[in-house]
Amino acid sequence: MKSNDYFAFKQFTINQKRCAHKVGTDGVLLGAWADLNFPVPKEHYRGLDVGAGTGLIALMLAQRRTNLLMDAVEIDEKAYYQCLDNKCNSPFGDRVFPKLFAFQDFQPDTLYDLIVSNPPYFTNSMKSPDYQRNEARHNDGLSIKILIKKSLQMLCDTGRIALILPVENAKELDLQITARNLQILRRTDVITVEGQEPKRFMIELAHYKSDNPQFNSLTLETGTHKRTAGYQELTKDFYLD
């Protein structure tokens, strides 16, 4: 198997040959950053990964918390079966449940404590002739408005949403935050190389306020393209080196 057909982490391997959207830094960041300290004690917590792709984020969250049950919704059939294979070959397969659905049509039988998404983000940009790649990377079918509206219908009272988005989507998200009276619990701006402006941000939203909302930044690489101490600390349980 070619090395770009899979990505090996410390406790599981992601096979990705059938997926248009390969393992990338954004997914790893969100899977490591999302807060799994829930405000209400429960025997089991329920999470949902929207646009699960390979299943990377769902598996990372399942690794991080042993009483977290993760649904993983994916619209693309090839990606869904890849996600299914990855979960079956992981140590956490009994707690990750891939679902072949468009998110807009998904009707769960539970409310969620956490909904995460590394959503498609190339709005109105030039499209590839590859349909599968378009589905994975453009948000024509799943806008931020739809993502937030549908997610809020599925959250329990103490539930929250965690996203990673390009900075150019911040204004669109701010409109939804204001319109739906959401609170920002955490926001981390992501700087790819030190000295540059942020290109991504991770954000956690809920209907309830935090006594201590957190706003910070994370730089991934030094000027010599080595991982920063902060990035290494965040991902230490996942990357092999």
Side-chain angles (χ1 to χ4, degrees):
M1 184 181 291
K2 296 183 296 184
S3 59
N4 61 346
D5 288 344
Y6 70 92
F7 198 105
F9 293 92
K10 287 184 176 180
Q11 295 193 37
F12 61 90
T13 295
I14 293 292
N15 289 300
Q16 56 186 7
K17 184 176 182 180
R18 287 177 276 178
C19 291
H21 201 173
K22 309 298 185 185
V23 169
T25 301
D26 287 2
V28 175
L29 284 172
L30 185 59
W33 179 87
D35 187 3
L36 300 185
N37 295 309
F38 298 105
V40 177
K42 296 181 182 180
E43 181 178 1
H44 291 100
Y45 297 96
R46 299 298 301 262
L48 173 66
D49 181 8
V50 179
T54 61
L56 167 66
I57 296 173
L59 287 169
M60 290 180 71
L61 297 178
Q63 175 183 319
R64 290 177 54 203
R65 180 136 195 168
T66 57
N67 65 340
L68 177 64
L69 307 178
M70 285 297 305
D71 288 339
V73 173
E74 174 55 51
I75 189 174
D76 180 76
E77 188 171 0
K78 290 181 180 179
Y80 162 77
Y81 282 110
Q82 189 78 85
C83 180
L84 191 62
D85 287 348
N86 286 331
K87 85 104 177 182
C88 290
N89 292 323
S90 80
F92 325 110
D94 60 337
R95 293 188 286 110
V96 176
F97 310 99
K99 313 284 186 180
L100 182 58
F101 278 97
F103 179 56
Q104 297 92 321
D105 299 329
F106 181 54
Q107 299 294 332
D109 58 3
T110 187
L111 294 177
Y112 293 106
D113 300 283
L114 175 66
I115 296 177
V116 297
S117 187
N118 172 22
Y121 49 76
F122 292 135
T123 310
N124 298 325
S125 62
M126 184 178 295
K127 293 190 177 182
S128 159
D130 184 329
Y131 173 78
Q132 186 188 16
R133 190 167 180 82
N134 282 337
E135 283 294 308
R137 305 195 73 176
H138 289 264
N139 74 358
D140 298 32
L142 183 59
S143 65
I144 288 175
K145 179 179 180 179
I146 294 172
L147 175 61
I148 296 297
K149 180 180 179 180
K150 179 78 171 179
S151 294
L152 291 175
Q153 295 170 1
M154 299 180 176
L155 282 181
C156 66
D157 290 342
T158 56
R160 52 194 183 233
I161 302 168
L163 307 172
I164 184 166
L165 293 167
V167 293
E168 54 263 33
N169 290 124
K171 289 184 179 179
E172 184 181 359
L173 181 63
D174 286 344
L175 290 174
Q176 296 305 310
I177 291 172
T178 301
R180 302 181 189 283
N181 196 29
L182 294 172
Q183 305 296 322
I184 299 175
L185 305 183
R186 302 162 67 212
R187 173 171 166 153
T188 297
D189 292 333
V190 179
I191 300 165
T192 305
V193 179
E194 60 184 359
Q196 296 182 351
E197 293 298 313
K199 293 183 179 180
R200 299 278 188 275
F201 67 97
M202 295 181 286
I203 194 164
E204 189 176 76
L205 305 169
H207 272 310
Y208 60 89
K209 288 186 178 181
S210 169
D211 294 333
N212 185 29
Q214 300 174 30
F215 295 85
N216 54 32
S217 63
L218 173 68
T219 300
L220 305 185
E221 294 183 359
T222 66
T224 56
H225 298 289
K226 294 183 179 180
R227 289 178 190 159
T228 63
Y231 186 26
Q232 289 181 27
E233 177 64 23
L234 181 66
T235 58
K236 64 183 180 181
D237 292 332
F238 299 100
Y239 283 141
L240 290 172
D241 56 1

